[in-house]
Amino acid sequence: MEQEPELIARTADELVGDLNKQQAEAVQYRGAALLIGAGAGSGKTRVLTRRIAWILSQFGAWPSQILAITFTNKAAAEMRERLTALIGPVAQRMWVSTFHSACVRILRRDGKALGLKSGFSIYDSADSERLVKIIATEFNVDIKRYTPRSILGRISDYKNQLIGWRTQLAAYAPDFKPGSRGYRISNFDNVEELYAIIYAEYEHRLAMANAVDFDDLIVRTVELLRDHPDVAEYYRHKFRYILVDEYQDTNHAQYVLIRELAGVDAGESPAPTAMAAGRQGPAWITVVGDSDQSIYAFRGADIRNIQDFEEDFPDAKTILLEQNYRSTQTILDAANAVISHNEGRKPKKLWTAVGKGEPIVGYAADNAQQEAVWVASEIARLHAEENIPYSDMAIMYRANAQSRSLEEALINAGLPYQLIGGTKFYERKEIKDALAYLQAILNPADDVNLRRILNVPKRGLGARAESIVLDYARERGTSFFDALMHMEQIEGMPTRTAKGLKAFRDLMASMSAFARANITKPSEIVAEVLSKSGLLEELQKSVDPQDQSRVENLSQLQSTAAEYEQNTPDATLGGFLETTALVADSDQLPDENEDSGKVTMMTLHTAKGLEYPVVFLTGLEQGTFPHSRSLEDTSELAEERRLAYVGITRAKRRLYVTRAAVRAQWGQANDMLPSQFLDEIPDELIDWKRRETGSERMRTGWGSESDEFGGWEDDDFSSGPTFGGSPYGSSYGSRSGSNSGRWGSAASRSGSSSYGSSSRYGAHSGGTRGGKVSTRHVTPKNGGASGAKSVAVSSLQKDNGLNIADFTIGDLVTHDQYGLGKVVDTQDRGRNSVITIDFGTEGTKRLMLRVAPIEKL
DNA sequence: TGTTTTAGTATTTTT
DNA sequence: TACTAAAACA
């Protein structure tokens, strides 16, 4: 075996000396199967990295014998980093990766055995959906009734369960032959048949296109290991220690993959005296997880994997880590209380030595805007009065759609933030177009990508031209690319179309020649494609301001390629495309030791595995969180509760829980009841800054004399600021990853009455606890006349008395925070006037004049 | 074929 | 509301 000179040997004491008893036991355990039940914040990453180091230094294993699997790329990178610190540069050569990228690696090497050719494409869900749509349409399926997404969802379920298309076909449509032309589905009553047929055809087309989808990465690897003993043998011999993080989120296919890789069922027994995994027998498996943090069941994660671990792996050992090093006792008490409402779980109680800490702060807002404003003002206060850095604070919510009002509030308050999630960089049109070119160059058989770019940018090849080529391809049973190459033989093609197609073919040929000549220089290929294809040119010529940012995105894509090229010794185009295919939201997050200086906003799902000193959990309402689609089903509700558990345990020092009495979802304002999770937190743990909203107080009869009548409907809120034009005009909040004009305008509602069966607030008693209460508001609009507004309103009502007319471009001003600046632009919007100021090194800021802490010089 | 208008529909959560 | 996709029009 090769030498591993960079391996730093660690003594036993260095590895376990500073750990608690359970942690140390987990690190040192000798045995074929270990389950570490790691409660939130119990130091599992630490244990995992130490264990790897332990295996190397004390069991005498080689780094190349270790396979460590995490859930996200970020987690993998972090673990590798920690390992490098612990054992030296040799960690760089270990397999520390996600399920998906590990499988890509295996398939790249050995996929030939399955008929996968080099350069195979990886379809993301959008690509897959396109393909399903194409098939369904061809088969005469009513795609309104059976949406591509729902069909794909079903296919994905099959795959996660390792149910193959042959099985489904045999059971429900034995007469169907994938790839047969002109097939029409006639029997819509038998949905299983419909799914089986589309599933089979989908797989057929994927194979034709030399492509795999996301789920296939796992499934096909399992297939590879099962059907090709030589390949299985290679990996079983190679990986002697397999460690899996977030085991509660694995699905059945991933579970089987682990078993296959480890060779658990291979029937080989270890040497009787083995003190380590050695050379024979199954690899040793360590899994780490927390069944209370299983939040991906909707995606096929099977909580039984972790619950049944001890039955699944003979002689398995379980070690529980229950000491929490992250949060205060108050926060843990809340988390424990909430999760204890889930039935059928193994009892577990987190505890901490940190102490009680601050109470949880609660706030009930009248509506989502007010909730956001209150959160923003509290953040500003914590920063100003308690010196808490913005980067120590995070705002979390159930669904991405909730981020809008929060963003607006943060912008108005002038607070820097970063939003994680939303539309991902690699999912944007222009990026997907560019990537489609690259993919088509690398893998010409890839019909989906080739057809995507046929007329992008516009080159006069529309649906007509496409179908001419396509018909020919289907007739001959070849790929779109093949048909294109033989287009001269197509009869009856209009000259104009032929000309266009030839030009396209030549273009692809020339780019492909360039790519072959520069295959190790992805960034140059990207540059070539962007300019030659005309993608860049089309956008540059465009007058649409959005296209300007698209140009920037494309140039960022090129930088990304260049970066990849520099960091990867054996860079290839294919390698680059892989890195783009397997990114997740959380990958956008800055490193833990890098201070972004910004408040972080993200969904609860994205937040898993992270921690912040201050956490705001927003939207705690029935129907928002727990989500309305989960209210009916106990197991889905249990998952929501686990999500709440995850959210609560992200907080280290301070936790805020907020809700809104009225929330608009897709244009409709709805009355919302408080989340049941709020009731599940012991009351004495929460310090309510505002417990009931105005309308609730009114309706329950308390303080009915108050003049808050209609006060929840405040005009000052509903006519929030409108930032027109490109969001890039504002320098607040670099949205890492997402964007494009999402914050167009603040929700301007007037009158939010919804009609329906009215039920009183407070009707918690009954069995069913509906998501939204439909109540008819007595007051249609025109609030704001009353004097006693809620506390939070004040910040929006605030007015510094400045007048936009008093400012001209070039004026000098001072800002409380940014210092001296020069006015670059003014926009007169009356009360919502906006002023743009260049603060030099502090950047150019767009400020809402009436609240901006500025002074004219 | 390309552009504009209109209509319908969608929101969980993502490797 | 906001985005996408079909439909209508140029």
Side-chain angles (χ1 to χ4, degrees):
Chain A
M1 256 313 183
E2 60 189 300
Q3 286 282 311
E4 303 284 2
E6 321 96 309
L7 179 65
I8 301 171
R10 292 284 178 185
T11 65
D13 189 57
E14 281 177 302
L15 293 177
V16 296
D18 56 346
L19 301 181
N20 69 34
K21 187 166 157 279
Q22 290 76 21
Q23 290 177 326
E25 190 188 356
V27 166
Q28 298 169 292
Y29 178 73
R30 275 180 200 271
L34 170 65
L35 164 64
I36 304 174
S42 61
K44 65 168 185 168
T45 311
R46 188 168 216 223
V47 168
L48 213 41
T49 48
R50 296 290 182 95
R51 179 158 172 82
I52 291 173
W54 185 270
I55 289 170
L56 295 176
S57 63
Q58 311 293 315
F59 293 1
W62 291 304
S64 59
Q65 293 179 312
I66 292 189
L67 171 64
I69 294 193
T70 62
F71 209 62
T72 65
N73 294 309
K74 182 171 186 285
E78 206 172 298
M79 181 173 293
R80 176 171 281 132
E81 199 176 305
R82 291 217 209 170
L83 278 169
T84 308
L86 201 58
I87 62 172
V90 73
Q92 301 297 329
R93 268 189 278 150
M94 277 174 21
W95 281 51
V96 181
S97 67
T98 63
F99 270 108
H100 295 268
S101 38
C103 287
V104 170
R105 213 164 150 184
I106 293 173
L107 290 175
R108 288 279 180 228
R109 184 181 181 274
D110 295 302
K112 296 179 286 304
L114 295 172
L116 282 175
K117 294 187 274 295
S118 79
F120 63 81
S121 305
I122 300 169
Y123 282 2
D124 67 11
S125 33
D127 297 326
S128 303
E129 233 172 85
R130 249 173 98 90
L131 183 54
V132 168
K133 191 179 169 192
I134 289 171
I135 294 168
T137 314
E138 275 181 33
F139 284 4
N140 206 23
V141 172
D142 179 4
I143 57 168
K144 293 262 162 63
R145 192 172 176 78
Y146 302 98
T147 62
R149 179 183 295 205
S150 66
I151 298 172
L152 192 61
R154 181 62 82 94
I155 293 176
S156 180
D157 288 346
Y158 291 142
K159 290 188 176 184
N160 289 158
Q161 291 297 316
L162 288 180
I163 300 170
W165 61 270
R166 287 186 186 81
T167 313
Q168 287 304 101
L169 216 49
Y172 297 104
D175 296 333
F176 176 74
K177 298 274 173 296
S180 40
R181 273 199 310 137
Y183 190 85
R184 293 276 186 286
I185 295 180
S186 44
N187 182 6
F188 286 102
D189 301 329
N190 190 344
V191 285
E192 290 298 343
E193 179 183 340
L194 180 102
Y195 288 130
I197 288 173
I198 297 182
Y199 181 19
E201 183 67 18
Y202 173 75
E203 289 301 293
H204 175 73
R205 303 259 177 122
L206 278 181
M208 294 266 297
N210 190 29
V212 294
D213 68 15
F214 253 5
D215 300 319
D216 275 344
L217 289 174
I218 314 292
V219 173
R220 308 228 59 196
T221 306
V222 169
E223 190 186 331
L224 179 71
L225 296 172
R226 282 186 165 172
D227 298 348
H228 299 270
D230 51 322
V231 178
E233 179 55 35
Y234 169 80
Y235 288 103
R236 283 173 193 164
H237 187 251
K238 174 175 170 51
F239 297 127
R240 303 308 302 154
Y241 298 90
I242 298 175
L243 302 99
V244 186
D245 194 11
E246 308 281 17
Y247 190 67
Q248 76 282 354
D249 288 328
T250 52
N251 60 37
H252 180 69
Q254 288 162 334
Y255 163 78
V256 172
L257 175 71
I258 296 295
R259 274 186 98 88
E260 292 291 336
L261 273 176
V264 175
D265 306 300
E268 194 185 327
S269 17
T273 54
M275 289 299 284
R279 294 189 159 272
Q280 301 175 36
W284 283 15
I285 294 178
T286 302
V287 303
V288 187
D290 178 0
S291 41
D292 288 336
Q293 292 186 63
S294 162
I295 54 174
Y296 285 106
F298 70 94
R299 217 176 59 197
D302 193 342
I303 197 168
R304 285 174 306 180
N305 286 165
I306 193 164
Q307 285 171 344
D308 298 347
F309 185 82
E310 286 168 307
E311 288 96 84
D312 285 344
F313 296 89
D315 299 322
K317 167 88 176 170
T318 300
I319 296 174
L320 294 180
L321 308 180
E322 289 181 307
Q323 181 174 2
N324 174 294
Y325 294 92
R326 179 188 291 153
S327 311
T328 65
Q329 192 62 49
T330 300
I331 290 166
L332 292 183
D333 286 348
N336 284 330
V338 169
I339 199 67
S340 70
H341 284 81
N342 270 358
E343 285 173 15
R345 58 185 277 278
K346 294 176 187 163
K348 183 179 59 190
K349 266 225 147 65
L350 292 177
W351 62 278
T352 179
V354 170
K356 204 156 157 262
E358 308 273 328
I360 295 166
V361 177
Y363 186 82
D366 291 332
N367 56 48
Q369 283 70 33
Q370 195 202 338
E371 177 193 40
V373 168
W374 188 80
V375 168
S377 64
E378 188 62 14
I379 288 175
R381 191 189 68 77
L382 290 171
H383 183 72
E385 291 177 15
E386 308 193 24
N387 252 328
I388 298 179
Y390 291 126
S391 53
D392 278 359
M393 302 189 252
I395 309 175
M396 298 172 193
Y397 35 81
R398 176 65 236 263
N400 276 124
Q402 288 166 252
S403 67
R404 286 198 185 94
S405 45
L406 291 160
E407 272 188 272
E408 276 159 16
L410 290 173
I411 290 170
N412 286 343
L415 301 171
Y417 69 90
Q418 60 177 163
L419 186 140
I420 311 296
T423 321
K424 276 180 266 169
F425 182 74
Y426 291 108
E427 280 171 8
R428 292 177 201 184
K429 272 191 232 73
E430 65 276 15
I431 300 297
K432 288 241 24 163
D433 288 338
L435 293 176
Y437 269 96
L438 297 170
Q439 200 62 258
I441 288 169
L442 201 66
N443 177 20
D446 186 340
D447 277 20
V448 171
N449 277 314
L450 190 59
R451 285 166 66 184
R452 179 189 175 101
I453 53 170
L454 183 66
N455 200 29
V456 180
K458 302 263 156 29
R459 47 173 77 93
L461 296 171
R464 186 71 149 283
E466 185 180 347
S467 75
I468 292 176
V469 181
L470 193 61
D471 286 348
Y472 184 76
R474 304 288 284 138
E475 204 175 292
R476 306 203 341 156
T478 61
S479 65
F480 194 84
F481 169 78
D482 245 37
L484 196 60
M485 296 310 279
H486 297 104
M487 55 170 283
E488 278 77 8
Q489 289 155 34
I490 304 178
E491 286 165 24
M493 188 185 311
T495 359
R496 243 200 7 229
T497 312
K499 213 177 141 202
L501 285 174
K502 275 206 195 77
F504 177 66
R505 190 174 67 186
D506 293 346
L507 171 72
M508 292 307 289
S510 104
M511 292 195 302
S512 150
F514 183 91
R516 268 195 302 277
N518 299 282
I519 198 72
T520 59
K521 296 252 160 43
S523 71
E524 290 182 23
I525 304 175
V526 173
E528 173 82 0
V529 164
L530 291 183
S531 67
K532 274 263 181 67
S533 69
L535 274 179
L536 253 185
E537 198 186 354
E538 187 185 48
L539 291 172
Q540 280 165 341
K541 275 199 304 214
S542 162
V543 284
D544 185 343
Q546 284 208 347
D547 287 337
Q548 192 47 48
S549 67
R550 299 212 166 96
V551 171
E552 286 166 27
N553 289 335
L554 286 176
S555 99
Q556 200 193 321
L557 178 70
Q558 208 190 314
S559 323
T560 312
E563 201 178 305
Y564 159 81
E565 200 174 301
Q566 286 192 341
N567 297 337
T568 318
D570 48 352
T572 61
L573 179 57
F576 172 61
L577 288 175
E578 262 161 40
T579 65
T580 66
L582 300 171
V583 290
D585 281 342
S586 56
D587 297 333
Q588 307 164 1
L589 286 158
D591 283 3
E592 52 181 356
N593 36 21
E594 169 186 329
D595 185 356
S596 64
K598 291 167 186 161
V599 178
T600 306
M601 298 171 50
M602 67 196 133
T603 65
L604 286 155
H605 281 87
T606 308
K608 194 178 72 167
L610 305 174
E611 58 177 34
Y612 293 87
V614 181
V615 169
F616 291 84
L617 288 185
T618 64
L620 281 155
E621 304 124 27
Q622 288 298 99
T624 306
F625 185 31
H627 193 272
S628 54
R629 305 239 298 229
S630 322
L631 290 169
E632 309 290 309
D633 184 302
T634 343
S635 75
E636 287 180 36
L637 191 60
E639 175 143 321
E640 296 285 307
R641 192 174 281 112
R642 291 193 291 270
L643 195 53
Y645 177 78
V646 167
I648 294 169
T649 53
R650 297 311 94 194
K652 292 166 88 165
R653 293 284 166 269
R654 287 168 190 244
L655 178 65
Y656 288 82
V657 288
T658 66
R659 69 177 178 97
V662 175
R663 187 175 296 275
Q665 9 192 37
W666 68 91
Q668 272 285 307
N670 286 103
D671 284 5
M672 311 300 290
L673 290 176
S675 170
Q676 64 192 94
F677 301 148
L678 283 175
D679 296 342
E680 292 170 6
I681 300 175
D683 208 44
E684 64 272 18
L685 298 179
I686 307 184
D687 171 17
W688 286 96
K689 295 298 177 196
R690 189 167 184 252
R691 180 184 275 270
E692 292 238 308
T693 64
S695 52
E696 285 161 4
R697 238 167 299 182
M698 192 181 72
R699 238 172 292 150
T700 43
W702 304 348
S704 57
E705 299 300 307
S706 96
D707 57 357
E708 286 209 59
F709 192 75
W712 56 273
E713 178 86 66
D714 189 322
D715 273 346
D716 287 339
F717 275 125
S718 28
S719 58
T722 302
F723 290 104
S726 160
Y728 290 89
S730 157
S731 62
Y732 288 132
S734 67
R735 327 177 96 229
S736 49
S738 78
N739 178 359
S740 78
R742 269 181 55 204
W743 66 71
S745 61
S748 70
R749 293 180 291 102
S750 63
S752 60
S753 37
S754 49
Y755 295 77
S757 64
S758 70
S759 66
R760 281 169 55 90
Y761 166 61
H764 286 201
S765 38
T768 14
R769 196 168 161 157
K772 302 153 198 160
V773 200
S774 306
T775 313
R776 182 175 171 187
H777 290 298
V778 201
T779 323
K781 48 182 143 187
N782 181 33
S786 53
K789 293 269 164 43
S790 59
V791 263
V793 181
S794 59
S795 79
L796 250 195
Q797 282 186 324
K798 193 165 63 186
D799 200 322
N800 51 22
L802 295 173
N803 194 335
I804 194 78
D806 297 331
F807 291 85
T808 17
I809 293 171
D811 283 353
L812 289 178
V813 296
T814 58
H815 185 280
D816 286 0
Q817 192 187 342
Y818 301 115
L820 188 69
K822 191 197 261 180
V823 177
V824 215
D825 188 33
T826 60
Q827 281 165 286
D828 188 353
R829 297 217 185 95
R831 211 174 131 59
N832 297 324
S833 294
V834 171
I835 188 164
T836 311
I837 302 169
D838 183 357
F839 291 105
T841 51
E842 294 287 336
T844 303
K845 315 280 180 193
R846 270 168 70 89
L847 306 167
M848 169 138 307
L849 184 66
R850 78 178 135 87
V851 293
I854 57 172
E855 202 178 313
K856 193 177 164 185
L857 292 179

